[in-house]
Amino acid sequence: MTYDETLEYLYQSAPMFQQVGSSAYKEGMENSFLIDKHLNYPHTRYKTIHVAGTNGKGSTSHLLASVLQEAGYKTGLYTSPHLLDFRERIKVNGEMIDKAFVVDFIERHRAFFESVQPSFFELTTGMAFAYFAEQQVDVAVIEVGLGGRLDCTNVITPVISIITNISFDHIQLLGNTLTAIAKEKAGIIKPDVPVVIGEAKGEVEDFFKGLSSLNNLIIFAQEQKNILSAKLLPSGCWEFETPDYPGLVCELGGWTQEKNAATVLCAINILKKSIFSLSSEAVYRGFRYVVENTGLMGRWQIVGQCPKIVLDTGHNVAGIEYIVRQLQSEKYDRLHIVFGMVNDKDITSVLRLLPQEAEYYFTQASIPRALDAHLLAKQAMEFDLKGKVYPTVNEAFSAAKRQAAEKDFIFVGGSTFVVADALKIMNYEL
């Protein structure tokens, strides 16, 4: 098969969660263990770092990978979903997995996979672990796909586990209380493996502190005071004052990055004590060049000026809260919002947060899970959010750019896949 034929086979035989939603989710770890055994436990040949959480786990994973890469370690990075190219999910030192490996991996193991019938994510996880072994990485940063306890990445025993935060998302699969969701995320905790909790409050903090009484290796980043102050620079980067790294510049924009940075710095303090040699220069360069090093996209990504155009993949209540606060801090004459969601999110709670003074361009991404733009606009009217409906992101984005003046602001988001479609329209290069 060619590479394109291989991708088509993957998508048809094992539909992606990002495309079709919960029907692609397979509960349980049986397939994961079968695949792991079939591939001869590839993840045991290198160190791993496991990252879970509702929001921020992608940024956290990329920041850690960037620092490790700058420290001279050959670093694997496994994240999801992808925006433009399937190979974004699996990288070594920022370079996407070879197309030839994808083709060969499927051809060599096709008969086994067809007997097991794994989900797309189960298959892709096995591919990532095998690729990292072939590439002889020193360490791989592994982002949890969904939850933690039953996620197929949970076959690994990492050198450190990270849980960024807990908020409501995928409640139909993970539970409808914060404590229930926290229990699922906490499933990645392993005996004698240090754990960093990025942010926890209320019942979630009580839950994790209950675990910490059983395992004194649980550390709360919010108690470490790793960041003394934060300043957003005109470039869109953050400058953090920290006890160990004064004037630490982070290339990632977005107000969520302060908490992500605190989590990463806490993890770095643990890792450099006994596991990795991480110089101050590696930390400074890892934060400063994270996008260049890892190719991360869609985190308060500025793609245009006059008018200013920003893309952000925040898609649940906690993520949208940060986005709205940051929009309120921006200076502009008029605000244009290109907005779409998927059909399994808490739509009402998200719409309730959005600014009423904006002009909306309601749309839907080019995936089956996309919420119908007309239905979205109808629900938005209940919250006095006014605008027009556009059947595609291309048409919505084009209309926003036509109508925006130089001193206006265009925001594109609501769904990872709306951002992905916008990047494709712009012919954004990886």
Side-chain angles (χ1 to χ4, degrees), residues 89-102:
R89 294 168 176 260
I90 305 169
K91 295 180 178 179
V92 173
N93 281 3
E95 297 293 325
M96 294 188 294
I97 185 173
D98 294 335
K99 289 182 178 180
F101 184 93
V102 176

Side-chain angles (χ1 to χ4, degrees), residues 71-297:
Y73 294 101
K74 192 170 187 180
T75 305
L77 178 61
Y78 179 51
T79 59
S80 61
H82 63 270
L83 291 175
L84 299 177
D85 188 323
F86 165 80
R87 296 181 301 137
E88 293 168 45
R89 294 168 176 260
I90 305 169
K91 295 180 178 179
V92 173
N93 281 3
E95 297 293 325
M96 294 188 294
I97 185 173
D98 294 335
K99 289 182 178 180
F101 184 93
V102 176
V103 174
D104 181 64
F105 181 83
I106 296 300
E107 287 182 344
R108 279 189 292 123
H109 303 290
R110 181 171 176 173
F112 171 77
F113 289 138
E114 289 180 354
S115 70
V116 173
Q117 295 187 319
S119 70
F120 177 88
F121 194 72
E122 288 168 339
L123 194 158
T124 304
T125 300
M127 181 188 297
F129 291 172
Y131 185 66
F132 295 152
E134 187 206 64
Q135 291 291 303
Q136 298 182 322
V137 302
D138 300 307
V139 57
V141 181
I142 308 297
E143 179 191 356
V144 167
L146 179 65
R149 180 176 65 91
L150 297 177
D151 190 77
C152 55
T153 63
N154 205 25
V155 298
I156 67 175
T157 299
V159 296
I160 188 172
S161 299
I162 299 169
I163 300 174
T164 56
N165 54 55
I166 305 295
S167 56
F168 288 108
D169 204 3
H170 303 296
I171 59 175
Q172 71 276 28
L173 300 173
L174 302 180
N176 58 8
T177 69
L178 291 177
T179 300
I181 295 170
K183 286 179 180 178
E184 290 299 315
K185 308 286 186 184
I188 69 167
I189 296 174
K190 304 292 196 305
D192 302 320
V193 174
V195 182
V196 172
I197 307 297
E199 180 185 13
K201 53 189 176 182
E203 63 188 274
V204 172
E205 183 177 8
D206 292 341
F207 168 75
F208 283 118
K209 288 198 169 175
L211 295 182
S212 67
S213 67
L214 304 173
N215 181 351
N216 60 9
L217 298 174
I218 297 180
I219 295 150
F220 293 82
Q222 64 199 25
E223 297 176 355
Q224 301 303 305
K225 308 299 183 186
N226 281 322
I227 294 182
L228 305 175
S229 65
K231 180 172 65 175
L232 192 59
L233 302 176
S235 63
C237 299
W238 281 102
E239 183 177 337
F240 302 121
E241 287 301 324
T242 88
D244 297 323
Y245 310 100
L248 179 66
V249 175
C250 179
E251 191 175 12
L252 301 181
W255 283 15
T256 59
Q257 300 306 333
E258 182 178 350
K259 289 197 168 67
N260 293 335
T263 302
V264 171
L265 290 172
C266 188
I268 286 171
N269 287 339
I270 296 168
L271 291 170
K272 71 180 185 180
K273 285 179 181 177
S274 59
I275 303 169
F276 297 111
S277 176
L278 302 175
S279 67
S280 293
E281 182 183 7
V283 176
Y284 277 107
R285 289 185 58 83
F287 272 70
R288 182 65 185 86
Y289 300 110
V290 57
V291 173
E292 181 178 332
N293 286 343
T294 68
L296 180 62
M297 297 179 288

Side-chain angles (χ1 to χ4, degrees), residues 210-414:
L211 295 182
S212 67
S213 67
L214 304 173
N215 181 351
N216 60 9
L217 298 174
I218 297 180
I219 295 150
F220 293 82
Q222 64 199 25
E223 297 176 355
Q224 301 303 305
K225 308 299 183 186
N226 281 322
I227 294 182
L228 305 175
S229 65
K231 180 172 65 175
L232 192 59
L233 302 176
S235 63
C237 299
W238 281 102
E239 183 177 337
F240 302 121
E241 287 301 324
T242 88
D244 297 323
Y245 310 100
L248 179 66
V249 175
C250 179
E251 191 175 12
L252 301 181
W255 283 15
T256 59
Q257 300 306 333
E258 182 178 350
K259 289 197 168 67
N260 293 335
T263 302
V264 171
L265 290 172
C266 188
I268 286 171
N269 287 339
I270 296 168
L271 291 170
K272 71 180 185 180
K273 285 179 181 177
S274 59
I275 303 169
F276 297 111
S277 176
L278 302 175
S279 67
S280 293
E281 182 183 7
V283 176
Y284 277 107
R285 289 185 58 83
F287 272 70
R288 182 65 185 86
Y289 300 110
V290 57
V291 173
E292 181 178 332
N293 286 343
T294 68
L296 180 62
M297 297 179 288
R299 273 64 171 185
W300 201 258
Q301 183 176 354
I302 301 171
V303 296
Q305 297 285 0
C306 301
K308 188 173 183 179
I309 304 173
V310 169
L311 315 178
D312 196 284
T313 56
H315 56 270
N316 53 34
V317 170
I320 296 295
E321 282 178 342
Y322 276 106
I323 288 169
V324 171
R325 283 172 53 199
Q326 192 154 5
L327 286 173
Q328 290 169 343
S329 75
E330 293 281 344
K331 292 182 172 60
Y332 48 76
D333 286 347
R334 291 190 304 156
L335 175 61
H336 307 259
I337 297 182
V338 177
F339 200 78
M341 296 186 69
V342 292
N343 56 23
D344 54 2
K345 297 298 178 185
D346 185 355
I347 298 160
T348 299
S349 295
V350 168
L351 292 175
R352 184 178 287 116
L353 296 171
L354 296 177
Q356 294 178 347
E357 68 275 10
E359 175 70 21
Y360 285 87
Y361 304 75
F362 298 108
T363 189
Q364 59 197 70
S366 55
I367 61 167
R369 278 175 72 203
L371 177 66
D372 180 85
H374 288 90
L375 179 58
L376 177 61
K378 183 178 179 181
Q379 291 187 249
M381 288 178 63
E382 298 175 14
F383 300 93
D384 292 326
L385 306 178
K386 300 178 177 62
K388 295 182 179 179
V389 173
Y390 299 86
T392 67
V393 175
N394 189 1
E395 291 169 87
F397 194 25
S398 297
K401 288 189 288 185
R402 282 195 309 271
Q403 296 178 36
E406 284 190 2
K407 293 183 179 180
D408 289 356
F409 190 107
I410 300 175
F411 175 80
V412 182

